[in-house]
Amino acid sequence: MNLFAKLMRRSETAVFLIVVAIMIVIGAINPAFWQADNLFNLLRANVVIGIMALSVLIVMVSGGIDVSFPAFAAAAMYLTVLAMNAYGYEGVVLPFIGATLIGLICGLANAFFIHTFRMIPLIVTLGSASVVRGLLLGLVGTSIVNIDRMPPALIAFGRSSLDVGGAKLSVMVFVYLGLAVLVGLLLTRTMTGRSIFAYGDDAESAKRVGFNTRRTVYVAYGLAGALAGFAGLLHASMIWLANPRDFVGYELDVIAAVVLGGASIFGGRGSVLGTLLGVFLLVLIKNSLIIMRIDNTWQGVVIGCVIVIATALTAWRDRKTLA
Amino acid sequence: MNKPFDLSRFVNRDNNILQLILITVAIFAMMSWLEPTKFLRYYNFESISFIFPELGIVAIAMMLAMLTGGIDLSVIGIANLAGILAGVFFTKLFPGDPAAGMAGEIARVAAGVMLALGVGLVAGALNGLLITRAKITPILATLGTGQVFTGLCMVLTGGPAIVGFPAYWGLIGNGKLFGIAVPLLIFVAVAMVIAVMLTRTSFGLNLFLIGTNPRAAVFAGLKSDRMVLYSYMMSGTLAALAGIILSGRTNAAKSDYGTSYLLQAVLICVLGGTNPAGGRGTVLGISIAVIALMLLASGFQMMRFSNHLIDFIWGGFLLLVMVLNAFRNRA
């Protein structure tokens, strides 16, 4: 009973129950929802947004916010694909390392500005997003790399799937879950992870108890950039297309998913499990709009309302725990 | 109030205005040197005087939110929604009647202006209520409502731009009065009203106090919630005004117009000496900053820089200015 009460108080439980409820409703309206194909597709749609959400989760736990990851993801993806084409490279390991490194460097630049000059993360990341996107589109190019010019190795990697009872489950789902476990272990089982939580809760206290806060900021934003870069290339390999204008507007969806998952924008709160559920809930709502035949143009309104309601609920929860 | 004008005090007011004027002069000199034939033409300055007011008004709207330590990421959504609703009003609900004379036309446009400003007021009130009643952080609240407003624009237009605004509506964005661009006159009027409100009324003082120390403001008995609500309502109304000018100038309204204005408005606020953490900011600073950046952008456009590279320059400039401010505050 005690365990049950504890479970009920966690925000993950609430999100999980909402997810189940929505799934039951959608299943009742359109039974095709429960087909393995559809469910696996749903999971596949979680992958890229999910990895980006892990990136935003780390930053948000550290008390910051990041709106630059879509630009970083686009830069990492586009530059890597162009480099693969230029050298006719046939593998996938090196490109993914390259994309991750590009993201890492961009993230470290964010950390540099935020830590050295004590700037507000929102404004720094707004600026760095515009710098990276402007350089990418202005100097590198605006043309889309179509499927006929995409490196075949990348396409093959993105297509790899497991056969589960006749339906195909993308292997990328396991890549995503593996990364989630790694980020979860980092945040909860290592001193670095604890320092990110401590820094997000109260930067001054974290400094006084002896955490190296400079290192914490660099780890948080660097890791966030690296995950964004990785997610960017993964996206290209899953849709067989590299568009340098891609990911515009992703910041809203991803931040919404992380907030839905119970992370606090003030820092110090948030969990990987909650984020996974938040991402699933967001993708579920977006996809079910299509299944329930609601016009596409309503998507923005629905997502916006979800953000507002979710943040209102978390604010209400935070106030109750403070009182 | 009748103190003699004291230049050193004026300049020392956090030293920012002087730095700004220097930046503006430097940009002006650089552009005149690089592109003397094109940059130094009357036509260039005239076209700037039509284009910058909408951005300047958006920046003032952003500053009002920043004064209390907030931010309004929904300004562009509000501006577009106001323009689009006015467009729907003119084309679907209240199409022009050829028989109606000039007075009828003017009344129709006036009703459209009222509708657009009303939309901004309501949208701003929604932001304010979410921030003060539901206690949502301004970033998330306005991020969410901005998405809702832009989403409503998509629903109303279905994607393409709304065209067919009345001729008098176009005058708001394209007209001239006594040889001066109407948008410029509107901007000057708005800037003066807001400047007087911020420096000469208790409401303005309250906003600065709340931004400097919200806790102390509550203990001092200020009606913080109400003041913050009013500031977001004003911010929304100003955003709608910018939307009116934008749709008047281009004779069209679309759900994704002016998306780059958001970053630029933040940049102008920071450059103009507004503290994003609250408590500091002047309309004069914003006005000089917006002119400086417009000179910069028009100069680079003449040198045939692509719009993407200009985006890069805006972003780099934002980071640079913040670094400069950080050094200055340290000294």
Side-chain angles (χ1 to χ4, degrees), chain B residues 22 33 45-46 93 96 101 158 166 182 184 203 211 213 296 318 320:
Chain B
L22 286 179
W33 179 62
F45 299 111
E46 189 182 35
L93 299 179
V182 173
L184 179 62
F203 170 65
N213 191 338
L296 191 70
L318 174 61
L320 185 74

Side-chain angles (χ1 to χ4, degrees), chain A residues 65 113 116-117 119-120 122-124 126-128 130-131 133-135 137-139 142 245 252-253 255 259 265-266 297-298 300-301 303-305 307-308 311-312 315-316 319, chain B residues 66 71 73 130 133-137 139-141 143-145 147-148 151-152 154-155 158 263 266 270 276-277 306 308-309 311-312 314-316 318-319 322-323 326-327 330:
Chain A
I65 194 160
F113 282 109
T116 312
F117 303 108
M119 294 187 199
I120 297 171
L122 175 69
I123 293 179
V124 170
L126 265 175
S128 62
S130 161
V131 164
R133 186 80 78 170
L135 275 184
L137 293 172
L139 289 186
T142 54
R245 292 176 206 264
L252 274 165
D253 287 2
I255 291 172
V259 173
I265 193 164
F266 299 113
T297 50
W298 281 94
V301 179
I303 298 296
C305 288
I307 300 179
V308 170
T311 46
W316 181 66
R319 235 183 322 168
Chain B
M66 279 186 176
I71 194 165
L73 299 176
L130 286 173
R133 295 269 167 242
K135 303 277 177 216
I136 307 180
T137 358
I139 295 181
L140 290 178
L143 199 68
T145 56
Q147 178 84 338
V148 172
L152 284 175
M154 274 299 285
V155 172
L263 174 81
V266 173
V270 173
S306 74
H308 304 305
L309 279 181
D311 274 354
F312 157 73
W314 289 106
L318 174 61
L319 293 177
M322 303 246 341
V323 170
F327 273 120
R330 212 173 286 176

